[in-house]
Amino acid sequence: MPKKVENVGCPYCGVCCDDLVVTVSDDGKQILEVENACAIGNQIFHHATGSERIRLPRLRQPDGTYKDISYEEAVDYAAKVLYNAKKPLIYGFGSTNCEGMAAAAKVAEKAGAVLDNCASICHGSSFLAIFDNGYPSCTLGETKNRADVIVYWGANPAHAHPRHMSRYSIFPRGFFTGKGHMSRKIIVIDPRHTDTAQVADIYLQVKQGHDYELFDAFRAVVRGHEIPDVVAGIKREQIVEVANILKKARFGTIFYGMGLCHSDGRNHNVDIAISLTRDLNDYTKWTIMAMRGHYNITGPGAVWSWQYGYPYCLDLTKKDIAHMNPGETSSIDLAMRDEVDAFINIGTDAGAHFPIDAVKHLRKHPWITIDPNINMASEISDLHIPVGIVGVEVPGIVYRMDNVPIQYRKVIDPPEGVISDEELFERIYRRLSELEADEAVKEHAKAAPEGVRAGE
Amino acid sequence: MITQRSIEEGVAMEKGKTTPEYFEACSIIEMHDDDVKALGLVPNQLVRVTSECGNVVVKTVKGRQSLYPGLAFIPQGVWANQVVPPRTQATGEPQYSGFPVTVEPVNGEKRKSALELVQGAVGMWRGDQ
Ligand code: SF4
């Protein structure tokens, strides 16, 4: 009899849906059906048992082809690359569990590496703004149960977080929002009339890159000041109308995304959004939330803040003290200045998602990819190490976009022999420690004065 | 120019970056009708998009999500990142949205595959394998 596994978590986006029901075949090897997931979540589970999965690490040969090697050889290779590099960069972590992130941090610390996660090209701007200005936020449950005004600013959940609107923000009937959609006003602000804008009560087509001015105008109106006739392409009457709706809300949440973080101004678009939220709290209750991308991209921020005090762009090259300054220690800035001499891509695809100039710089040095699947990073690697898929084959803790930790389950076994990120990093850590110990013995022998045996 | 997500891109990426689905979902550009007309393009025509740091050949398609004249959209991914400027304004974040490009029709040229673009850029492309 096929078996149904309930309360399964989806390892794709920051909504972290944990209500999936997955039907597994008799032998526990095939995924037959996935209920409740959106199209993307569905694809992940069905893809997991596809025939194209790789089972062994692959090392690039001088002729450009790949040769399978054992995990032991792969661990040795990775440890040696890290050991020999002056300033290796370990980057990714959007798609693995917190256990894997903690193990990787141990490796980074031992290797004296730079440790960075996808936040640095995604919501890193948000971190910078939060450092400056705070984060008046809430959990998704509070929005679901209380919010009567929702703003999506520079975010398109219909495409990027497909079940966000139905689970938490627009459609669900919550404790104080019993009429669901009918009890809420939806405002969408975006230069494109997106599919999210389709479900909005009010849509403001802001001019791309001019969000800062529009926030400024909202703040001015909320504080009772005059504004020009048109700001960022939006008419004054409309700004005043929306500002009044914001002021009269019982409970509001601003969800924002890459429209703010990736455009001119970066963190300043976010810090003025936070200022507006704080201003509105003089009148009523307002909260703001970053639409975090990957299902566990909030995880490294939590894990490394606990370990080192910094969420991303961690320079551990001094080994006993961590340093963080994103313009200086971020992956892209380091790559563009050619400041790193080895690259480990883990739980992400820098080959596809970095600007190509950054990829060209990084590829001058050894490049190792740790990922369950073939992707662009794996196809330009010296070494590709496969791992189990978190949420499908490997259980673990993940953090939702609102920093709520969720325990993900395992529904099937990984392909035979394939290990988890956590185990892989633990093994690289052990190998690094051995290399260090070997070197210490050698140094000791060299330093020993004549006539005295090493070790005495 | 802006580069952002699309659900087709999300589904295709999970299917695999070397699949035809990923190719079709990401090697496209969406523009306003006025711009399409001004450039004298027909639907599904190939165009070259050039920014301050590179160029890429993509296909014009009519998207459901409308833009205003002067703004264009390529889904995030391999094709978009051929033209995304790596400047970060000292924040770590490249200019993924809001950078100037020129768009011009091309003839007799094909769109390159994801592998050819990425491996080609780093000198690893060995022809159609
Ligand atoms: S909304 Fe996100 S977490 Fe939920 S099923 Fe879709 S991809 Fe998965």
Side-chain angles (χ1 to χ4, degrees):
Chain A
M1 270 290 285
K3 176 174 85 189
K4 267 188 196 277
V5 191
E6 296 193 341
N7 302 324
V8 172
C10 167
Y12 182 73
C13 83
V15 178
C16 294
C17 298
D18 51 0
D19 61 343
L20 274 48
V21 180
V22 178
T23 310
V24 180
S25 66
D26 271 350
D27 57 3
K29 289 209 163 81
Q30 284 297 315
I31 287 174
L32 303 176
E33 206 191 324
V34 182
E35 291 162 69
N36 298 342
C38 72
I40 307 175
N42 228 292
Q43 185 64 50
I44 292 190
F45 283 90
H46 287 298
H47 185 68
T49 48
S51 54
E52 60 287 343
R53 280 294 292 279
I54 51 166
R55 284 140 210 273
L56 275 174
R58 304 178 303 142
L59 184 69
R60 184 175 280 273
Q61 303 298 302
D63 68 355
T65 60
Y66 283 106
K67 184 181 133 213
D68 286 354
I69 60 172
S70 69
Y71 271 97
E72 206 182 314
E73 290 168 293
V75 164
D76 182 61
Y77 185 98
K80 282 183 177 147
V81 164
L82 285 168
Y83 189 73
N84 292 326
K86 282 205 188 68
K87 194 170 182 177
L89 168 61
I90 308 179
Y91 167 84
F93 301 100
S95 305
T96 183
N97 56 17
C98 291
E99 294 84 343
M101 292 160 188
K106 268 169 65 180
V107 169
E109 188 177 336
K110 185 156 268 319
V114 176
L115 184 61
D116 193 16
N117 63 69
C118 312
S120 81
I121 64 160
C122 189
H123 271 289
S125 303
S126 300
F127 277 117
L128 293 173
I130 291 165
F131 298 156
D132 284 343
N133 211 3
Y135 193 47
S137 195
C138 64
T139 62
L140 288 168
E142 287 177 275
T143 299
K144 169 183 163 180
N145 287 311
R146 294 178 184 276
D148 61 338
V149 180
I150 301 280
V151 178
Y152 281 113
W153 196 316
N156 187 10
H159 285 255
H161 299 82
R163 295 179 70 216
H164 191 266
M165 297 183 289
S166 62
R167 269 171 76 86
Y168 296 114
S169 63
I170 303 186
F171 302 107
R173 293 164 193 266
F175 196 84
F176 300 111
T177 51
K179 293 207 191 94
H181 192 185
M182 303 295 290
S183 47
R184 308 182 209 258
K185 260 249 173 327
I186 314 300
I187 300 160
V188 171
I189 302 172
D190 202 297
R192 264 194 312 166
H193 192 270
T194 57
D195 286 327
T196 305
Q198 298 277 6
V199 297
D201 299 297
I202 297 174
Y203 164 62
L204 303 184
Q205 186 163 44
V206 60
K207 268 172 66 193
Q208 205 289 328
H210 293 258
D211 301 86
Y212 194 92
E213 287 142 68
L214 191 54
F215 277 117
D216 229 357
F218 274 120
R219 288 190 76 197
V221 172
V222 168
R223 289 162 167 252
H225 301 294
E226 285 298 315
I227 56 166
D229 290 344
V230 179
V231 177
I234 314 291
K235 291 210 178 71
R236 173 170 49 203
E237 300 76 66
Q238 239 195 335
I239 296 173
V240 171
E241 181 203 343
V242 171
N244 283 327
I245 293 172
L246 302 184
K247 263 168 108 167
K248 290 208 186 93
R250 272 187 296 126
F251 183 108
T253 304
I254 298 174
F255 292 105
Y256 69 95
M258 293 303 107
L260 302 188
C261 295
H262 280 171
S263 301
D264 280 341
R266 312 281 200 284
N267 51 313
H268 297 302
N269 300 325
V270 182
D271 67 44
I272 196 168
I274 295 169
S275 293
L276 174 63
T277 311
R278 290 166 58 147
D279 289 354
L280 286 165
N281 275 287
D282 287 345
Y283 302 92
T284 179
K285 183 71 199 153
W286 270 87
T287 54
I288 187 164
M289 194 184 299
M291 296 285 281
R292 303 303 303 271
H294 289 288
Y295 68 96
N296 199 20
I297 191 53
T298 312
V303 172
W304 300 343
S305 289
W306 165 62
Q307 289 181 306
Y308 301 103
Y310 301 115
Y312 73 123
C313 294
L314 284 129
D315 184 333
L316 301 171
T317 48
K318 293 194 186 71
K319 295 207 176 181
D320 54 358
I321 183 159
H323 167 67
M324 177 214 177
N325 180 22
E328 174 199 350
T329 58
S330 75
S331 297
I332 297 289
D333 288 302
L334 288 168
M336 292 310 294
R337 289 195 306 261
D338 254 329
E339 278 184 30
V340 285
D341 57 351
F343 183 60
I344 297 195
N345 174 102
I346 142 86
T348 188
D349 186 359
H353 294 293
F354 275 1
I356 198 72
D357 282 345
V359 177
K360 284 193 221 166
H361 277 294
L362 290 171
R363 192 60 199 89
K364 294 177 195 163
H365 309 285
W367 178 310
I368 298 170
T369 298
I370 299 169
D371 200 279
N373 299 307
I374 300 270
N375 58 29
M376 290 303 123
S378 76
E379 295 316 282
I380 56 171
S381 295
D382 297 303
L383 173 63
H384 176 201
I385 311 178
V387 281
I389 305 172
V390 170
V392 183
E393 300 156 351
V394 178
I397 302 277
V398 312
Y399 278 75
R400 201 167 67 185
M401 62 166 66
D402 54 351
N403 286 293
V404 170
I406 297 179
Q407 176 76 53
Y408 270 25
R409 306 184 143 206
K410 157 181 169 165
V411 290
I412 51 168
D413 287 328
E416 209 182 313
V418 172
I419 65 177
S420 68
D421 288 310
E422 184 187 11
E423 187 184 340
L424 177 65
F425 278 110
E426 288 294 349
R427 283 173 68 172
I428 295 174
Y429 179 81
R430 286 203 294 275
R431 185 70 193 114
L432 260 176
S433 305
E434 283 168 19
L435 292 172
E436 238 178 45
D438 290 351
E439 190 64 28
V441 170
K442 264 193 252 158
E443 288 292 319
H444 200 75
K446 254 194 277 173
E450 213 143 327
V452 179
R453 272 178 293 135
E456 259 174 21
Chain B
M1 166 66 67
I2 56 172
T3 75
Q4 294 292 340
R5 299 212 88 109
S6 78
I7 190 142
E8 295 79 11
E9 173 259 340
V11 173
M13 185 167 70
E14 290 310 326
K15 185 136 210 282
K17 293 222 175 69
T18 52
T19 60
E21 285 87 346
Y22 184 71
F23 180 81
E24 285 306 331
C26 294
S27 62
I28 57 166
I29 183 170
E30 295 177 11
M31 287 179 282
H32 189 271
D33 286 345
D34 290 357
D35 292 335
V36 172
K37 234 183 267 160
L39 289 164
L41 301 173
V42 294
N44 298 332
Q45 186 167 347
L46 298 190
V47 292
R48 182 185 309 284
V49 179
T50 307
S51 75
E52 69 203 53
C53 66
N55 69 84
V56 67
V57 174
V58 288
K59 185 169 89 175
T60 52
V61 301
K62 195 168 165 49
R64 258 198 336 263
Q65 309 182 105
S66 61
L67 301 136
Y68 57 76
L71 193 64
F73 161 78
I74 301 182
Q76 69 166 39
V78 169
W79 290 267
N81 285 321
Q82 304 303 306
V83 294
V84 166
R87 55 187 153 88
T88 71
Q89 299 183 338
T91 63
E93 301 224 29
Q95 189 81 35
Y96 284 114
S97 277
F99 57 94
V101 295
T102 55
V103 178
E104 59 194 340
V106 291
N107 289 315
E109 240 182 283
K110 286 204 289 203
R111 284 179 286 180
K112 288 184 179 163
S113 72
L115 262 185
E116 181 173 359
L117 284 172
V118 177
Q119 290 188 330
V122 298
M124 287 181 158
W125 176 244
R126 306 188 306 137
D128 285 305
Q129 287 131 326

